[in-house]
């Protein structure tokens, strides 16, 4: 079946896209290279300036997350429980270690130079590449999403737990929180200024939170509804999961992507929606800004929220972002 779709003039589709669901996207600043992981068992490296597929790393099972270490290397987390190191030139893939269940998410903690992996085995492991065994952090449930900002590691799990760790002191979490949203957590990203985080759920809602536990700072937190659609005929509302969050590195605004195929940009400080892009062919599975905030990578990839059905091909769009779309008004 054909799915009609017209791109806007300020975006293009990456050539050599994944052949199955896109699970994550990560940008590298120096050269605008993009890593994409997919259920087709590959991690792909793209040069977004030249629109060229540079490398493809084949895994034994679907790849659930990728991140960069530097312009020459990155990491992958896989459904076969392994964390791997990807070297781009010449291409080489090597195993760092394993969990006892699939590796759902990865972050590279620059402040300590370590890759951090979160798994459905209810643990986070911090891997020291210099050869020491990993630090094991027990989590309250399956790890769904993570982010890191300086020395703060934030972990979102099943059961709506949000644990905040200081990576210099791993004896216990700094804070144990519960999500302020009533439904399952999909994504968590730290704000660019490090003051807090944004959390999205499967029920068309986003929460803006602050790390400082003081009553004064906690009074600033709020949540809002998004990625919802009212039927024109009977006013029934369809509520979509918010799969993806990405912060603009310069302006501190953030983009959300949902199963409605929509991308919105929000000004969290002033509680305003800045813009919405056109609808993409299918669910937005992942989002990533480049380091300067001039490009936004958008994975349009069906996430099977309605089970097996005919759906558009998996695509990654790169949008040249205008200041008007991302700068607070």
């Amino acid at each position: 079946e054909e799915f009609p779709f017209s791109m806007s003039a300020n975006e293009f589709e990456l050539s050599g896209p994944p052949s199955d669901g896109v699970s994550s996207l990560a940008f590298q600043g120096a050269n605008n290279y993009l890593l994409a992981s997919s259920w087709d068992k590959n991690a792909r490296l793209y040069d977004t300036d030249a629109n060229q597929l540079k490398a493809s790393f084949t895994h034994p099972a679907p790849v659930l997350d990728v991140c960069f270490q530097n312009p020459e290397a990155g990491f992958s987390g896989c459904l076969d429980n392994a964390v791997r190191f990807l070297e781009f030139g010449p291409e080489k893939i090597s195993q760092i270690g394993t969990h006892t269940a699939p590796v759902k998410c990865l972050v590279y903690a620059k402040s300590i130079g370590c890759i951090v992996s979160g798994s459905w085995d209810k643990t986070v492991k911090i891997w020291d590449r210099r050869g020491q065994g990993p630090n094991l952090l027990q989590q309250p449930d399956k790890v769904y999403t993570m982010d890191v900002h300086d020395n703060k590691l934030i972990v979102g799990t099943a059961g709506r737990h949000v644990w905040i760790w200081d990576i210099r002191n791993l004896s216990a979490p700094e804070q144990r929180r519960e999500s302020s949203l009533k439904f399952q957590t999909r994504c968590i990203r730290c704000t660019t200024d490090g003051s807090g985080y944004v959390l999205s759920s499967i029920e068309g809602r986003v929460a803006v939170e602050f790390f400082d536990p003081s009553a004064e700072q906690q009074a600033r937190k709020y949540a809002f509804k998004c990625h919802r659609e009212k039927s024109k005929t009977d006013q029934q509302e369809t509520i979509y999961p918010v799969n993806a969050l990405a912060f603009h590195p310069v302006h501190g605004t953030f983009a959300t992507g949902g199963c409605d195929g929509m991308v919105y940009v929000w000004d969290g400080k002033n509680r305003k929606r800045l813009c919405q892009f056109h609808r993409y062919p299918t669910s937005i599975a992942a989002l990533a800004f480049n380091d300067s905030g001039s490009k936004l990578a958008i994975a349009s990839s069906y996430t099977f929220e309605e089970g097996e059905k005919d759906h558009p091909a998996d695509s990654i769009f790169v949008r040249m972002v205008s200041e008007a779309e991302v700068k607070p008004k």
Side-chain angles (χ1 to χ4, degrees), residues 6 45 61 63 71 83 90 95 147 165-166 186 239 252 259 263 268 286 290:
S6 56
L45 180 71
V63 189
V83 179
Q95 187 167 304
D147 201 13
W165 299 77
D166 181 337
R186 223 356 107 82
I239 300 173
C259 287
V263 176
N290 67 345

Side-chain angles (χ1 to χ4, degrees), residues 203-245:
E203 186 253 346
R205 239 179 252 265
V206 168
V208 177
E209 301 274 351
F210 297 89
F211 288 129
D212 183 340
S214 71
E216 177 195 9
Q217 285 302 308
Q218 287 305 305
R220 295 172 61 199
K221 75 177 189 179
Y222 67 96
F224 62 93
K225 297 175 184 175
C226 49
H227 299 278
R228 293 163 177 238
E229 207 173 8
K230 273 208 167 71
S231 145
K232 300 208 175 17
T233 49
D234 60 359
Q235 290 302 294
Q236 279 291 98
E237 190 174 49
T238 307
I239 300 173
Y240 296 93
V242 184
N243 298 321
L245 297 166

Side-chain angles (χ1 to χ4, degrees), residues 147-166:
D147 201 13
V148 68
H149 189 284
D150 294 336
N151 291 305
K152 273 202 173 24
L153 171 70
I154 177 160
V155 182
T157 72
R160 300 172 39 255
H161 300 282
V162 178
W163 281 16
I164 299 157
W165 299 77
D166 181 337

Side-chain angles (χ1 to χ4, degrees), residues 116-278:
V116 182
S117 57
S119 166
W120 292 340
D121 69 6
K122 306 184 183 180
T123 70
V124 164
K125 289 184 176 183
I126 301 179
W127 304 89
D128 185 346
R129 302 281 290 138
R130 293 176 287 276
Q132 269 86 43
N135 274 312
L136 180 81
L137 309 182
Q138 204 63 48
Q139 305 300 316
D141 211 322
K142 286 181 180 174
V143 178
Y144 285 159
T145 180
M146 289 193 303
D147 201 13
V148 68
H149 189 284
D150 294 336
N151 291 305
K152 273 202 173 24
L153 171 70
I154 177 160
V155 182
T157 72
R160 300 172 39 255
H161 300 282
V162 178
W163 281 16
I164 299 157
W165 299 77
D166 181 337
I167 47 187
R168 295 160 304 185
N169 170 23
L170 300 172
S171 53
E174 199 172 64
Q175 297 184 49
R176 293 180 173 89
R177 294 186 177 185
E178 189 174 84
S179 166
S180 53
L181 306 181
K182 294 192 188 75
F183 290 82
Q184 186 192 92
T185 304
R186 223 356 107 82
C187 189
I188 293 177
R189 292 291 177 262
C190 292
T191 56
T192 40
D193 64 3
S195 64
Y197 58 93
V198 169
L199 176 151
S200 71
S201 82
I202 59 167
E203 186 253 346
R205 239 179 252 265
V206 168
V208 177
E209 301 274 351
F210 297 89
F211 288 129
D212 183 340
S214 71
E216 177 195 9
Q217 285 302 308
Q218 287 305 305
R220 295 172 61 199
K221 75 177 189 179
Y222 67 96
F224 62 93
K225 297 175 184 175
C226 49
H227 299 278
R228 293 163 177 238
E229 207 173 8
K230 273 208 167 71
S231 145
K232 300 208 175 17
T233 49
D234 60 359
Q235 290 302 294
Q236 279 291 98
E237 190 174 49
T238 307
I239 300 173
Y240 296 93
V242 184
N243 298 321
L245 297 166
F247 270 91
H248 189 275
V250 179
H251 298 305
T253 52
F254 62 92
T256 59
C259 287
D260 53 355
M262 295 299 290
V263 176
Y264 296 102
V265 182
W266 310 86
D267 174 355
K269 285 200 176 64
N270 297 309
R271 304 191 182 194
K272 283 196 176 84
R273 187 171 88 185
L274 289 177
C275 76
Q276 68 176 62
F277 303 161
H278 57 79

